[in-house]
Amino acid sequence: MLTAQNTITWLDKFGDAIEKNKAYLSDLDTPIGDGDHGNNMARGLTAVKAALADKDDADLTTVFKTIAMALISKVGGASGPLYGTAFLEMAKASKAGTTDLPTLLAAALAGIEKRGGAEAGDKTMIDVWTPVLAAVQAGNLTQAVIDDAVESTKPMIAKKGRASYLGERSVGHLDPGAVSSGYLFTALLEVEAN
Amino acid sequence: MSLGIVIVSHVPEIAAGVTTLIKQVAADVSITFAGGTDDNQVGTSMAKISTAFDDNAADELLAFYDLGSAKMNLEMAIEMSDKSVHLYDTALVESAYTAASLLQAGVDLTAVEAQLAPLKIK
C-alpha cells in the first residue's frame, strides 16, 4: 500500500540513486541516444525533491500530482512526459480511491504505453515496468526480477525513441530508461522493506 | 474561425528558423513556435508549447514537430488546451511549408491534410 509519506520516501531514494548514477545514465545514453538521460533525470528529481519539501501533510493524490508536474516541466527529454504521465495516472487512480500498489502501477504503465506508443520488446522502460508489475501483482518482486528486466533490454533492437534511429546497431546496449526505471523499483523495494 | 500553425522543435533556433521560412509564403497565417526547454537547452517544454497555442491568433491549430519527445509534450499540451489542435507525424520543414502555403491560399483543412498525408514519416 502506498501512502503520501512512503511515496515521498520512495522518490527521495529514487532521486538519490539518480544523482549517484547520473554520469553512468548519460554514458549509457551516449552510444544509442543523445547522452542526456542522467542530467535530464537529475534535473527532474531535484525539482521533485524541492516540490515535495513542503508536502509532508499532503494527501497521496497531491503527492503524485506534485511529482508528475515537476517531472513534466523539468526533465526536458522524453523521460519527462513518460515518467510524468506515470505519476499523473497514479494521481488519478488514487483520487478514485485506491492505495493498492499493483493497481497504481498498472495505471502508471498504461499511461506510459499510451504516451509513448511503445510495447514490450521495443527496448524501452516498458521492458522493466511490465515484468515488475507482473511480479508486484504476484507479490514476489525482488531485486533479481528488476535486474533481469533491465538486462533483458541489452540484446533488443530499439523500436522507439532516439535509439530506434540506430536500428540493429542498438543491440548490445542497455536502454537508459530501463536502467533508470530499475532504480525507481529498487527504491520501491527499499521502502517496502522498511 | 481561422487556422493557425504551431512549430515545435528541440532547438530554439530550429523552431524560430522554420517559422521564418514558412512566413515567407504565409504572411496572413498566424504562426507561433516553441523551441527548447524552459532554460533554452535542447529538449521540449510543455509550458512553452502551451504558450505557443495561447499566443496563436487562430483557435484551430496545425502542429508540426521534429522528434519523438516533442510529440509527447505536444500531446500533453493539447490535452490541457481549449483550442482544437491537429498533430501531424510528418516531415517538419516540408509539411509546415506545405500547410503554410495552402492556408495562405485559403485552402480548407481537409484538402491541406490530403497534401500532408504523403509527408508522414513517423
PDB file of all heavy atoms in Angstrom, chain A residues 34 36 43 69 72-78 80-82 85 88 114-116 162 165, chain B residues 10 37-39 41-46 66-69 72-73 75-76 79-80 122:
ATOM      1  N   ASP A  34      20.934  10.628 -27.003  1.00  0.00           N
ATOM      2  CA  ASP A  34      21.516  11.959 -27.092  1.00  0.00           C
ATOM      3  C   ASP A  34      22.350  12.302 -25.863  1.00  0.00           C
ATOM      4  O   ASP A  34      22.696  13.461 -25.650  1.00  0.00           O
ATOM      5  CB  ASP A  34      20.447  13.023 -27.356  1.00  0.00           C
ATOM      6  CG  ASP A  34      19.234  12.839 -26.465  1.00  0.00           C
ATOM      7  OD1 ASP A  34      19.316  12.032 -25.513  1.00  0.00           O
ATOM      8  OD2 ASP A  34      18.219  13.499 -26.709  1.00  0.00           O
ATOM      9  N   ASP A  36      21.904  12.519 -22.679  1.00  0.00           N
ATOM     10  CA  ASP A  36      21.473  13.459 -21.635  1.00  0.00           C
ATOM     11  C   ASP A  36      20.554  12.837 -20.583  1.00  0.00           C
ATOM     12  O   ASP A  36      20.018  13.548 -19.745  1.00  0.00           O
ATOM     13  CB  ASP A  36      20.782  14.676 -22.273  1.00  0.00           C
ATOM     14  CG  ASP A  36      19.520  14.287 -23.033  1.00  0.00           C
ATOM     15  OD1 ASP A  36      19.175  13.093 -23.035  1.00  0.00           O
ATOM     16  OD2 ASP A  36      18.888  15.183 -23.613  1.00  0.00           O
ATOM     17  N   ARG A  43      17.982  16.619 -13.074  1.00  0.00           N
ATOM     18  CA  ARG A  43      17.302  17.916 -13.004  1.00  0.00           C
ATOM     19  C   ARG A  43      15.850  17.730 -12.559  1.00  0.00           C
ATOM     20  O   ARG A  43      15.334  18.471 -11.718  1.00  0.00           O
ATOM     21  CB  ARG A  43      17.366  18.588 -14.385  1.00  0.00           C
ATOM     22  CG  ARG A  43      16.870  20.018 -14.414  1.00  0.00           C
ATOM     23  CD  ARG A  43      17.228  20.687 -15.738  1.00  0.00           C
ATOM     24  NE  ARG A  43      16.704  19.954 -16.876  1.00  0.00           N
ATOM     25  CZ  ARG A  43      17.403  19.633 -17.960  1.00  0.00           C
ATOM     26  NH1 ARG A  43      18.649  19.993 -18.079  1.00  0.00           N
ATOM     27  NH2 ARG A  43      16.839  18.969 -18.948  1.00  0.00           N
ATOM     28  N   MET A  69       4.044  16.867 -12.058  1.00  0.00           N
ATOM     29  CA  MET A  69       4.225  18.193 -12.645  1.00  0.00           C
ATOM     30  C   MET A  69       5.695  18.600 -12.639  1.00  0.00           C
ATOM     31  O   MET A  69       6.182  19.225 -13.593  1.00  0.00           O
ATOM     32  CB  MET A  69       3.363  19.240 -11.918  1.00  0.00           C
ATOM     33  CG  MET A  69       1.866  19.034 -12.083  1.00  0.00           C
ATOM     34  SD  MET A  69       1.305  18.465 -13.717  1.00  0.00           S
ATOM     35  CE  MET A  69       1.620  19.933 -14.711  1.00  0.00           C
ATOM     36  N   ILE A  72       7.314  16.575 -15.518  1.00  0.00           N
ATOM     37  CA  ILE A  72       6.864  17.046 -16.834  1.00  0.00           C
ATOM     38  C   ILE A  72       7.518  18.381 -17.178  1.00  0.00           C
ATOM     39  O   ILE A  72       7.959  18.600 -18.302  1.00  0.00           O
ATOM     40  CB  ILE A  72       5.319  17.175 -16.864  1.00  0.00           C
ATOM     41  CG1 ILE A  72       4.678  15.781 -16.860  1.00  0.00           C
ATOM     42  CG2 ILE A  72       4.848  17.972 -18.079  1.00  0.00           C
ATOM     43  CD1 ILE A  72       3.186  15.772 -16.579  1.00  0.00           C
ATOM     44  N   SER A  73       7.631  19.268 -16.194  1.00  0.00           N
ATOM     45  CA  SER A  73       8.133  20.604 -16.515  1.00  0.00           C
ATOM     46  C   SER A  73       9.650  20.706 -16.482  1.00  0.00           C
ATOM     47  O   SER A  73      10.208  21.603 -17.102  1.00  0.00           O
ATOM     48  CB  SER A  73       7.499  21.653 -15.596  1.00  0.00           C
ATOM     49  OG  SER A  73       7.780  21.357 -14.262  1.00  0.00           O
ATOM     50  N   LYS A  74      10.343  19.786 -15.828  1.00  0.00           N
ATOM     51  CA  LYS A  74      11.785  19.999 -15.655  1.00  0.00           C
ATOM     52  C   LYS A  74      12.698  19.012 -16.368  1.00  0.00           C
ATOM     53  O   LYS A  74      13.874  19.302 -16.566  1.00  0.00           O
ATOM     54  CB  LYS A  74      12.143  19.992 -14.163  1.00  0.00           C
ATOM     55  CG  LYS A  74      11.594  21.169 -13.391  1.00  0.00           C
ATOM     56  CD  LYS A  74      12.217  22.478 -13.854  1.00  0.00           C
ATOM     57  CE  LYS A  74      11.542  23.658 -13.163  1.00  0.00           C
ATOM     58  NZ  LYS A  74      11.688  24.906 -13.888  1.00  0.00           N
ATOM     59  N   VAL A  75      12.224  17.836 -16.744  1.00  0.00           N
ATOM     60  CA  VAL A  75      13.145  16.836 -17.301  1.00  0.00           C
ATOM     61  C   VAL A  75      13.659  17.217 -18.697  1.00  0.00           C
ATOM     62  O   VAL A  75      14.845  17.110 -18.975  1.00  0.00           O
ATOM     63  CB  VAL A  75      12.517  15.425 -17.306  1.00  0.00           C
ATOM     64  CG1 VAL A  75      13.400  14.448 -18.072  1.00  0.00           C
ATOM     65  CG2 VAL A  75      12.344  14.928 -15.873  1.00  0.00           C
ATOM     66  N   GLY A  76      12.750  17.649 -19.574  1.00  0.00           N
ATOM     67  CA  GLY A  76      13.205  18.118 -20.891  1.00  0.00           C
ATOM     68  C   GLY A  76      13.227  17.059 -21.973  1.00  0.00           C
ATOM     69  O   GLY A  76      12.798  17.310 -23.083  1.00  0.00           O
ATOM     70  N   GLY A  77      13.725  15.871 -21.700  1.00  0.00           N
ATOM     71  CA  GLY A  77      13.741  14.794 -22.696  1.00  0.00           C
ATOM     72  C   GLY A  77      12.454  13.990 -22.658  1.00  0.00           C
ATOM     73  O   GLY A  77      11.495  14.363 -21.982  1.00  0.00           O
ATOM     74  N   ALA A  78      12.448  12.874 -23.383  1.00  0.00           N
ATOM     75  CA  ALA A  78      11.252  12.029 -23.453  1.00  0.00           C
ATOM     76  C   ALA A  78      10.861  11.471 -22.094  1.00  0.00           C
ATOM     77  O   ALA A  78       9.691  11.190 -21.836  1.00  0.00           O
ATOM     78  CB  ALA A  78      11.493  10.871 -24.423  1.00  0.00           C
ATOM     79  N   GLY A  80      10.586  12.915 -19.339  1.00  0.00           N
ATOM     80  CA  GLY A  80       9.709  13.828 -18.590  1.00  0.00           C
ATOM     81  C   GLY A  80       8.249  13.488 -18.788  1.00  0.00           C
ATOM     82  O   GLY A  80       7.539  13.160 -17.827  1.00  0.00           O
ATOM     83  N   PRO A  81       7.773  13.528 -20.038  1.00  0.00           N
ATOM     84  CA  PRO A  81       6.380  13.149 -20.272  1.00  0.00           C
ATOM     85  C   PRO A  81       6.076  11.710 -19.863  1.00  0.00           C
ATOM     86  O   PRO A  81       4.972  11.421 -19.403  1.00  0.00           O
ATOM     87  CB  PRO A  81       6.205  13.307 -21.788  1.00  0.00           C
ATOM     88  CG  PRO A  81       7.329  14.139 -22.251  1.00  0.00           C
ATOM     89  CD  PRO A  81       8.414  14.111 -21.217  1.00  0.00           C
ATOM     90  N   LEU A  82       7.040  10.805 -20.022  1.00  0.00           N
ATOM     91  CA  LEU A  82       6.764   9.387 -19.725  1.00  0.00           C
ATOM     92  C   LEU A  82       6.649   9.142 -18.221  1.00  0.00           C
ATOM     93  O   LEU A  82       5.642   8.628 -17.741  1.00  0.00           O
ATOM     94  CB  LEU A  82       7.852   8.504 -20.338  1.00  0.00           C
ATOM     95  CG  LEU A  82       7.812   8.448 -21.873  1.00  0.00           C
ATOM     96  CD1 LEU A  82       9.079   7.810 -22.434  1.00  0.00           C
ATOM     97  CD2 LEU A  82       6.579   7.687 -22.350  1.00  0.00           C
ATOM     98  N   THR A  85       3.682  11.214 -16.903  1.00  0.00           N
ATOM     99  CA  THR A  85       2.378  10.592 -17.149  1.00  0.00           C
ATOM    100  C   THR A  85       2.146   9.430 -16.187  1.00  0.00           C
ATOM    101  O   THR A  85       1.031   9.240 -15.681  1.00  0.00           O
ATOM    102  CB  THR A  85       2.291  10.107 -18.615  1.00  0.00           C
ATOM    103  OG1 THR A  85       2.441  11.235 -19.470  1.00  0.00           O
ATOM    104  CG2 THR A  85       0.967   9.431 -18.903  1.00  0.00           C
ATOM    105  N   LEU A  88       1.076  10.969 -13.037  1.00  0.00           N
ATOM    106  CA  LEU A  88      -0.230  11.604 -13.220  1.00  0.00           C
ATOM    107  C   LEU A  88      -1.349  10.556 -13.202  1.00  0.00           C
ATOM    108  O   LEU A  88      -2.417  10.766 -12.618  1.00  0.00           O
ATOM    109  CB  LEU A  88      -0.234  12.364 -14.559  1.00  0.00           C
ATOM    110  CG  LEU A  88      -1.075  13.618 -14.677  1.00  0.00           C
ATOM    111  CD1 LEU A  88      -0.834  14.586 -13.525  1.00  0.00           C
ATOM    112  CD2 LEU A  88      -0.794  14.316 -16.005  1.00  0.00           C
ATOM    113  N   LYS A 114       0.431   4.471 -23.410  1.00  0.00           N
ATOM    114  CA  LYS A 114      -0.385   5.384 -24.216  1.00  0.00           C
ATOM    115  C   LYS A 114       0.447   6.582 -24.666  1.00  0.00           C
ATOM    116  O   LYS A 114       0.430   6.972 -25.833  1.00  0.00           O
ATOM    117  CB  LYS A 114      -1.585   5.851 -23.387  1.00  0.00           C
ATOM    118  CG  LYS A 114      -2.456   6.867 -24.082  1.00  0.00           C
ATOM    119  CD  LYS A 114      -3.593   7.335 -23.174  1.00  0.00           C
ATOM    120  CE  LYS A 114      -3.956   8.779 -23.460  1.00  0.00           C
ATOM    121  NZ  LYS A 114      -3.541   9.750 -22.475  1.00  0.00           N
ATOM    122  N   ARG A 115       1.231   7.136 -23.761  1.00  0.00           N
ATOM    123  CA  ARG A 115       2.004   8.337 -24.079  1.00  0.00           C
ATOM    124  C   ARG A 115       3.092   8.059 -25.100  1.00  0.00           C
ATOM    125  O   ARG A 115       3.282   8.814 -26.042  1.00  0.00           O
ATOM    126  CB  ARG A 115       2.618   8.907 -22.786  1.00  0.00           C
ATOM    127  CG  ARG A 115       3.370  10.199 -22.961  1.00  0.00           C
ATOM    128  CD  ARG A 115       2.458  11.349 -23.328  1.00  0.00           C
ATOM    129  NE  ARG A 115       1.533  11.689 -22.252  1.00  0.00           N
ATOM    130  CZ  ARG A 115       0.341  12.271 -22.473  1.00  0.00           C
ATOM    131  NH1 ARG A 115      -0.045  12.563 -23.674  1.00  0.00           N
ATOM    132  NH2 ARG A 115      -0.442  12.534 -21.453  1.00  0.00           N
ATOM    133  N   GLY A 116       3.819   6.965 -24.902  1.00  0.00           N
ATOM    134  CA  GLY A 116       4.976   6.718 -25.762  1.00  0.00           C
ATOM    135  C   GLY A 116       4.687   5.830 -26.958  1.00  0.00           C
ATOM    136  O   GLY A 116       5.464   5.799 -27.907  1.00  0.00           O
ATOM    137  N   ARG A 162      15.032   7.731 -29.433  1.00  0.00           N
ATOM    138  CA  ARG A 162      16.191   8.140 -30.215  1.00  0.00           C
ATOM    139  C   ARG A 162      17.014   6.944 -30.681  1.00  0.00           C
ATOM    140  O   ARG A 162      17.580   6.953 -31.776  1.00  0.00           O
ATOM    141  CB  ARG A 162      17.046   9.100 -29.379  1.00  0.00           C
ATOM    142  CG  ARG A 162      17.778  10.168 -30.157  1.00  0.00           C
ATOM    143  CD  ARG A 162      16.850  11.066 -30.949  1.00  0.00           C
ATOM    144  NE  ARG A 162      16.020  11.919 -30.133  1.00  0.00           N
ATOM    145  CZ  ARG A 162      16.416  13.062 -29.611  1.00  0.00           C
ATOM    146  NH1 ARG A 162      17.632  13.502 -29.797  1.00  0.00           N
ATOM    147  NH2 ARG A 162      15.585  13.788 -28.910  1.00  0.00           N
ATOM    148  N   TYR A 165      16.635   5.143 -34.264  1.00  0.00           N
ATOM    149  CA  TYR A 165      17.298   5.602 -35.497  1.00  0.00           C
ATOM    150  C   TYR A 165      18.503   4.723 -35.823  1.00  0.00           C
ATOM    151  O   TYR A 165      18.949   4.671 -36.966  1.00  0.00           O
ATOM    152  CB  TYR A 165      17.742   7.073 -35.382  1.00  0.00           C
ATOM    153  CG  TYR A 165      16.585   8.033 -35.268  1.00  0.00           C
ATOM    154  CD1 TYR A 165      16.243   8.602 -34.045  1.00  0.00           C
ATOM    155  CD2 TYR A 165      15.818   8.363 -36.377  1.00  0.00           C
ATOM    156  CE1 TYR A 165      15.167   9.461 -33.930  1.00  0.00           C
ATOM    157  CE2 TYR A 165      14.741   9.227 -36.273  1.00  0.00           C
ATOM    158  CZ  TYR A 165      14.421   9.772 -35.052  1.00  0.00           C
ATOM    159  OH  TYR A 165      13.355  10.620 -34.941  1.00  0.00           O
TER     160      TYR A 165
ATOM    161  N   HIS B  10      13.173  20.688 -30.770  1.00  0.00           N
ATOM    162  CA  HIS B  10      14.053  20.536 -29.613  1.00  0.00           C
ATOM    163  C   HIS B  10      15.016  21.701 -29.460  1.00  0.00           C
ATOM    164  O   HIS B  10      15.608  21.897 -28.397  1.00  0.00           O
ATOM    165  CB  HIS B  10      14.881  19.252 -29.747  1.00  0.00           C
ATOM    166  CG  HIS B  10      14.143  18.014 -29.339  1.00  0.00           C
ATOM    167  ND1 HIS B  10      12.976  17.605 -29.933  1.00  0.00           N
ATOM    168  CD2 HIS B  10      14.413  17.101 -28.359  1.00  0.00           C
ATOM    169  CE1 HIS B  10      12.562  16.486 -29.353  1.00  0.00           C
ATOM    170  NE2 HIS B  10      13.418  16.168 -28.394  1.00  0.00           N
ATOM    171  N   THR B  37      13.968  23.644 -24.112  1.00  0.00           N
ATOM    172  CA  THR B  37      13.398  23.528 -22.768  1.00  0.00           C
ATOM    173  C   THR B  37      13.159  24.922 -22.183  1.00  0.00           C
ATOM    174  O   THR B  37      13.459  25.930 -22.821  1.00  0.00           O
ATOM    175  CB  THR B  37      14.366  22.764 -21.847  1.00  0.00           C
ATOM    176  OG1 THR B  37      15.590  23.514 -21.772  1.00  0.00           O
ATOM    177  CG2 THR B  37      14.678  21.378 -22.387  1.00  0.00           C
ATOM    178  N   ASP B  38      12.641  24.969 -20.975  1.00  0.00           N
ATOM    179  CA  ASP B  38      12.358  26.258 -20.333  1.00  0.00           C
ATOM    180  C   ASP B  38      13.602  27.141 -20.242  1.00  0.00           C
ATOM    181  O   ASP B  38      13.516  28.360 -20.311  1.00  0.00           O
ATOM    182  CB  ASP B  38      11.786  26.039 -18.921  1.00  0.00           C
ATOM    183  CG  ASP B  38      10.353  25.521 -18.975  1.00  0.00           C
ATOM    184  OD1 ASP B  38       9.712  25.661 -20.048  1.00  0.00           O
ATOM    185  OD2 ASP B  38       9.890  24.975 -17.967  1.00  0.00           O
ATOM    186  N   ASP B  39      14.774  26.489 -20.066  1.00  0.00           N
ATOM    187  CA  ASP B  39      16.008  27.283 -19.989  1.00  0.00           C
ATOM    188  C   ASP B  39      16.790  27.230 -21.314  1.00  0.00           C
ATOM    189  O   ASP B  39      18.008  27.383 -21.341  1.00  0.00           O
ATOM    190  CB  ASP B  39      16.877  26.854 -18.799  1.00  0.00           C
ATOM    191  CG  ASP B  39      17.044  25.348 -18.720  1.00  0.00           C
ATOM    192  OD1 ASP B  39      16.508  24.652 -19.601  1.00  0.00           O
ATOM    193  OD2 ASP B  39      17.731  24.875 -17.793  1.00  0.00           O
ATOM    194  N   GLN B  41      17.668  24.916 -23.288  1.00  0.00           N
ATOM    195  CA  GLN B  41      18.540  23.798 -23.626  1.00  0.00           C
ATOM    196  C   GLN B  41      17.841  22.945 -24.695  1.00  0.00           C
ATOM    197  O   GLN B  41      16.681  23.196 -25.027  1.00  0.00           O
ATOM    198  CB  GLN B  41      18.811  22.943 -22.373  1.00  0.00           C
ATOM    199  CG  GLN B  41      19.467  23.702 -21.237  1.00  0.00           C
ATOM    200  CD  GLN B  41      20.859  24.183 -21.586  1.00  0.00           C
ATOM    201  OE1 GLN B  41      21.715  23.394 -21.945  1.00  0.00           O
ATOM    202  NE2 GLN B  41      21.067  25.496 -21.521  1.00  0.00           N
ATOM    203  N   VAL B  42      18.571  21.946 -25.204  1.00  0.00           N
ATOM    204  CA  VAL B  42      17.971  21.045 -26.192  1.00  0.00           C
ATOM    205  C   VAL B  42      16.915  20.171 -25.521  1.00  0.00           C
ATOM    206  O   VAL B  42      17.191  19.516 -24.515  1.00  0.00           O
ATOM    207  CB  VAL B  42      19.058  20.150 -26.834  1.00  0.00           C
ATOM    208  CG1 VAL B  42      18.404  19.140 -27.784  1.00  0.00           C
ATOM    209  CG2 VAL B  42      20.070  20.999 -27.588  1.00  0.00           C
ATOM    210  N   GLY B  43      15.709  20.188 -26.058  1.00  0.00           N
ATOM    211  CA  GLY B  43      14.599  19.433 -25.473  1.00  0.00           C
ATOM    212  C   GLY B  43      13.309  20.164 -25.803  1.00  0.00           C
ATOM    213  O   GLY B  43      13.314  21.101 -26.620  1.00  0.00           O
ATOM    214  N   THR B  44      12.217  19.722 -25.213  1.00  0.00           N
ATOM    215  CA  THR B  44      10.972  20.455 -25.426  1.00  0.00           C
ATOM    216  C   THR B  44      10.294  20.725 -24.094  1.00  0.00           C
ATOM    217  O   THR B  44      10.577  20.061 -23.096  1.00  0.00           O
ATOM    218  CB  THR B  44       9.996  19.703 -26.360  1.00  0.00           C
ATOM    219  OG1 THR B  44       9.813  18.367 -25.886  1.00  0.00           O
ATOM    220  CG2 THR B  44      10.525  19.663 -27.777  1.00  0.00           C
ATOM    221  N   SER B  45       9.417  21.719 -24.098  1.00  0.00           N
ATOM    222  CA  SER B  45       8.776  22.165 -22.864  1.00  0.00           C
ATOM    223  C   SER B  45       7.274  22.250 -23.072  1.00  0.00           C
ATOM    224  O   SER B  45       6.812  22.945 -23.976  1.00  0.00           O
ATOM    225  CB  SER B  45       9.338  23.543 -22.484  1.00  0.00           C
ATOM    226  OG  SER B  45       8.371  24.298 -21.783  1.00  0.00           O
ATOM    227  N   MET B  46       6.534  21.526 -22.241  1.00  0.00           N
ATOM    228  CA  MET B  46       5.086  21.589 -22.365  1.00  0.00           C
ATOM    229  C   MET B  46       4.586  23.019 -22.118  1.00  0.00           C
ATOM    230  O   MET B  46       3.665  23.480 -22.780  1.00  0.00           O
ATOM    231  CB  MET B  46       4.420  20.631 -21.379  1.00  0.00           C
ATOM    232  CG  MET B  46       2.942  20.453 -21.662  1.00  0.00           C
ATOM    233  SD  MET B  46       2.096  19.544 -20.375  1.00  0.00           S
ATOM    234  CE  MET B  46       2.052  20.744 -19.063  1.00  0.00           C
ATOM    235  N   ASP B  66       9.599  18.072 -34.511  1.00  0.00           N
ATOM    236  CA  ASP B  66      10.763  17.388 -35.082  1.00  0.00           C
ATOM    237  C   ASP B  66      10.914  15.935 -34.623  1.00  0.00           C
ATOM    238  O   ASP B  66      10.867  15.020 -35.431  1.00  0.00           O
ATOM    239  CB  ASP B  66      12.067  18.192 -34.899  1.00  0.00           C
ATOM    240  CG  ASP B  66      12.371  18.574 -33.454  1.00  0.00           C
ATOM    241  OD1 ASP B  66      11.603  18.192 -32.545  1.00  0.00           O
ATOM    242  OD2 ASP B  66      13.387  19.259 -33.231  1.00  0.00           O
ATOM    243  N   LEU B  67      11.086  15.694 -33.317  1.00  0.00           N
ATOM    244  CA  LEU B  67      11.380  14.336 -32.854  1.00  0.00           C
ATOM    245  C   LEU B  67      10.422  13.891 -31.745  1.00  0.00           C
ATOM    246  O   LEU B  67       9.716  14.708 -31.161  1.00  0.00           O
ATOM    247  CB  LEU B  67      12.836  14.258 -32.359  1.00  0.00           C
ATOM    248  CG  LEU B  67      13.922  14.574 -33.398  1.00  0.00           C
ATOM    249  CD1 LEU B  67      15.285  14.712 -32.718  1.00  0.00           C
ATOM    250  CD2 LEU B  67      13.979  13.513 -34.486  1.00  0.00           C
ATOM    251  N   GLY B  68      10.500  12.580 -31.443  1.00  0.00           N
ATOM    252  CA  GLY B  68       9.525  11.911 -30.581  1.00  0.00           C
ATOM    253  C   GLY B  68       9.076  12.593 -29.309  1.00  0.00           C
ATOM    254  O   GLY B  68       7.884  12.686 -29.045  1.00  0.00           O
ATOM    255  N   SER B  69      10.021  13.068 -28.480  1.00  0.00           N
ATOM    256  CA  SER B  69       9.575  13.597 -27.191  1.00  0.00           C
ATOM    257  C   SER B  69       8.820  14.905 -27.362  1.00  0.00           C
ATOM    258  O   SER B  69       7.998  15.282 -26.522  1.00  0.00           O
ATOM    259  CB  SER B  69      10.750  13.778 -26.237  1.00  0.00           C
ATOM    260  OG  SER B  69      11.678  14.696 -26.751  1.00  0.00           O
ATOM    261  N   MET B  72       5.284  13.940 -27.477  1.00  0.00           N
ATOM    262  CA  MET B  72       4.682  13.642 -26.172  1.00  0.00           C
ATOM    263  C   MET B  72       4.306  14.924 -25.435  1.00  0.00           C
ATOM    264  O   MET B  72       3.230  15.023 -24.851  1.00  0.00           O
ATOM    265  CB  MET B  72       5.643  12.809 -25.336  1.00  0.00           C
ATOM    266  CG  MET B  72       5.793  11.404 -25.854  1.00  0.00           C
ATOM    267  SD  MET B  72       6.702  10.410 -24.674  1.00  0.00           S
ATOM    268  CE  MET B  72       8.166  10.046 -25.607  1.00  0.00           C
ATOM    269  N   ASN B  73       5.205  15.909 -25.464  1.00  0.00           N
ATOM    270  CA  ASN B  73       4.877  17.174 -24.800  1.00  0.00           C
ATOM    271  C   ASN B  73       3.738  17.890 -25.528  1.00  0.00           C
ATOM    272  O   ASN B  73       2.901  18.538 -24.897  1.00  0.00           O
ATOM    273  CB  ASN B  73       6.119  18.070 -24.708  1.00  0.00           C
ATOM    274  CG  ASN B  73       6.913  17.791 -23.438  1.00  0.00           C
ATOM    275  OD1 ASN B  73       6.337  17.538 -22.381  1.00  0.00           O
ATOM    276  ND2 ASN B  73       8.231  17.815 -23.535  1.00  0.00           N
ATOM    277  N   GLU B  75       1.268  16.404 -27.107  1.00  0.00           N
ATOM    278  CA  GLU B  75       0.022  15.726 -26.742  1.00  0.00           C
ATOM    279  C   GLU B  75      -0.474  16.153 -25.373  1.00  0.00           C
ATOM    280  O   GLU B  75      -1.676  16.322 -25.157  1.00  0.00           O
ATOM    281  CB  GLU B  75       0.218  14.207 -26.793  1.00  0.00           C
ATOM    282  CG  GLU B  75       0.290  13.681 -28.218  1.00  0.00           C
ATOM    283  CD  GLU B  75       0.615  12.195 -28.301  1.00  0.00           C
ATOM    284  OE1 GLU B  75       1.177  11.649 -27.334  1.00  0.00           O
ATOM    285  OE2 GLU B  75       0.316  11.591 -29.332  1.00  0.00           O
ATOM    286  N   MET B  76       0.471  16.335 -24.446  1.00  0.00           N
ATOM    287  CA  MET B  76       0.040  16.771 -23.111  1.00  0.00           C
ATOM    288  C   MET B  76      -0.497  18.193 -23.158  1.00  0.00           C
ATOM    289  O   MET B  76      -1.495  18.509 -22.506  1.00  0.00           O
ATOM    290  CB  MET B  76       1.191  16.640 -22.113  1.00  0.00           C
ATOM    291  CG  MET B  76       1.436  15.184 -21.752  1.00  0.00           C
ATOM    292  SD  MET B  76       2.380  15.001 -20.246  1.00  0.00           S
ATOM    293  CE  MET B  76       3.915  15.595 -20.824  1.00  0.00           C
ATOM    294  N   GLU B  79      -3.961  18.129 -24.562  1.00  0.00           N
ATOM    295  CA  GLU B  79      -4.962  17.677 -23.589  1.00  0.00           C
ATOM    296  C   GLU B  79      -5.374  18.801 -22.645  1.00  0.00           C
ATOM    297  O   GLU B  79      -6.480  18.811 -22.122  1.00  0.00           O
ATOM    298  CB  GLU B  79      -4.410  16.487 -22.781  1.00  0.00           C
ATOM    299  CG  GLU B  79      -4.374  15.185 -23.587  1.00  0.00           C
ATOM    300  CD  GLU B  79      -3.481  14.117 -22.950  1.00  0.00           C
ATOM    301  OE1 GLU B  79      -3.221  14.194 -21.734  1.00  0.00           O
ATOM    302  OE2 GLU B  79      -3.036  13.214 -23.690  1.00  0.00           O
ATOM    303  N   MET B  80      -4.475  19.748 -22.427  1.00  0.00           N
ATOM    304  CA  MET B  80      -4.764  20.834 -21.483  1.00  0.00           C
ATOM    305  C   MET B  80      -5.256  22.101 -22.169  1.00  0.00           C
ATOM    306  O   MET B  80      -5.570  23.082 -21.500  1.00  0.00           O
ATOM    307  CB  MET B  80      -3.510  21.150 -20.662  1.00  0.00           C
ATOM    308  CG  MET B  80      -3.145  19.997 -19.747  1.00  0.00           C
ATOM    309  SD  MET B  80      -1.704  20.369 -18.745  1.00  0.00           S
ATOM    310  CE  MET B  80      -1.379  18.749 -18.046  1.00  0.00           C
ATOM    311  N   LYS B 122       6.724   9.472 -39.532  1.00  0.00           N
ATOM    312  CA  LYS B 122       6.975   8.958 -38.184  1.00  0.00           C
ATOM    313  C   LYS B 122       5.677   8.564 -37.502  1.00  0.00           C
ATOM    314  O   LYS B 122       4.616   8.868 -37.986  1.00  0.00           O
ATOM    315  CB  LYS B 122       7.744   9.981 -37.345  1.00  0.00           C
ATOM    316  CG  LYS B 122       7.181  11.385 -37.339  1.00  0.00           C
ATOM    317  CD  LYS B 122       8.256  12.425 -37.025  1.00  0.00           C
ATOM    318  CE  LYS B 122       7.689  13.838 -37.177  1.00  0.00           C
ATOM    319  NZ  LYS B 122       8.688  14.886 -37.182  1.00  0.00           N
TER     320      LYS B 122
END
